[in-house]
């Protein structure tokens, strides 16, 4: 995801800013790709491990086989056992889209990266 952004914008380095969980993502990015980070700004987040309270959400999202769904409602319903809150399911599905062929996609790189980061600080 970041590679295509850097390429599309002809960037060698960037100033990276993150707030809350985005701060964790920004810190992990700086550790993984130090040559790409010109400046790092982190707000409302500390470089430490946090309680693993979101694994079930990541597992439910990453377990979806989107090729078997025809409607957004079907996906919402499929997530219900693992994510009972309708509001949370709808929030999470804001990253759901359709490609040119009409097939659903969910950008999973952020989900995989966030799950990695939430499991512990630094090179989890």
């Amino acid at each position: 995801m970041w590679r295509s952004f850097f390429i599309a914008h002809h960037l060698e380095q960037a100033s990276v800013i993150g707030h809350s969980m985005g701060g964790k993502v920004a810190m992990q990015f700086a550790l993984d790709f130090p040559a790409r980070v010109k400046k790092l700004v982190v707000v409302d987040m500390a470089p430490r491990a946090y309680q693993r309270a979101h694994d079930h959400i990541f597992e439910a999202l990453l377990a979806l086989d989107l090729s078997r769904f025809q409607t957004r409602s079907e996906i919402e319903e499929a997530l219900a056992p693992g994510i009972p809150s309708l509001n949370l399911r709808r929030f999470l599905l804001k990253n759901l889209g359709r490609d040119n062929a009409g097939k659903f996609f969910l950008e999973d790189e952020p989900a995989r990266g966030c799950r990695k980061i939430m499991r512990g600080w630094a090179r989890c």
Side-chain angles (χ1 to χ4, degrees), residues 17 21 31 46 56 62 68-69 86 107-108 117 119 124:
I17 302 170
M21 187 166 179
L31 283 172
H56 71 285
L62 297 173
R68 65 180 204 128
F69 299 105
L86 178 60
E107 180 59 63
D108 69 346
I117 290 165
R119 285 191 171 159
C124 3

Side-chain angles (χ1 to χ4, degrees), residues 61-78:
L61 281 173
L62 297 173
L64 288 174
D65 176 7
L66 295 176
S67 66
R68 65 180 204 128
F69 299 105
Q70 300 299 313
T71 68
R72 196 176 198 81
S73 297
E74 290 173 346
I75 299 170
E76 206 172 85
E77 186 177 320

Side-chain angles (χ1 to χ4, degrees), residues 45-61:
M45 183 55 65
R48 67 177 184 90
Y50 287 82
Q51 183 179 3
R52 292 174 53 178
H54 299 95
D55 282 354
H56 71 285
I57 293 171
F58 294 118
E59 296 300 331
L61 281 173

Side-chain angles (χ1 to χ4, degrees), residues 4-43:
S4 58
F5 182 85
F6 272 64
I7 291 167
H9 293 80
H10 309 287
L11 298 172
E12 290 298 319
Q13 287 188 312
S15 295
V16 180
I17 302 170
H19 173 260
S20 192
M21 187 166 179
K24 271 240 190 214
V25 172
M27 288 186 281
Q28 190 67 52
F29 182 87
L31 283 172
D32 292 344
F33 310 101
R36 295 288 190 176
V37 179
K38 184 175 183 178
K39 295 178 182 179
L40 176 64
V41 177
V42 177
V43 181

